[in-house]
Amino acid sequence: YRSDKLPTKAEYEANNFAAELLMPKVLVAKMQREGYSTARALSDLFEVSEKAMEVRLRYLSWSR
């Protein structure tokens, strides 16, 4: 079940922590340099959903 409400600060922080744990910025960047250029390829490599990787890549591109 998903609420239409915006996530709480605690939920937002938990999501960020989980993303960094499962898809560390440093390792994602390294794999991109090594030729894993799509969300699909990276999601397979990190064993996460493609959607999760798409969100992570979007977040990382904003945080540069």
Side-chain angles (χ1 to χ4, degrees), residues 11-13 20 29 38 42 54 62:
E11 185 177 3
Y12 177 79
E13 289 174 357
E20 183 59 27
T38 66
L42 288 164
E54 288 170 358
W62 292 336

Side-chain angles (χ1 to χ4, degrees), residues 14 26-27 38 51 54-55 61-62:
V26 172
L27 291 180
T38 66
K51 184 65 176 174
E54 288 170 358
V55 170
S61 72
W62 292 336

Side-chain angles (χ1 to χ4, degrees), residues 1-5 7 11 15:
Y1 174 76
R2 287 284 187 189
S3 172
D4 289 337
K5 296 178 184 176
E11 185 177 3
N15 288 340

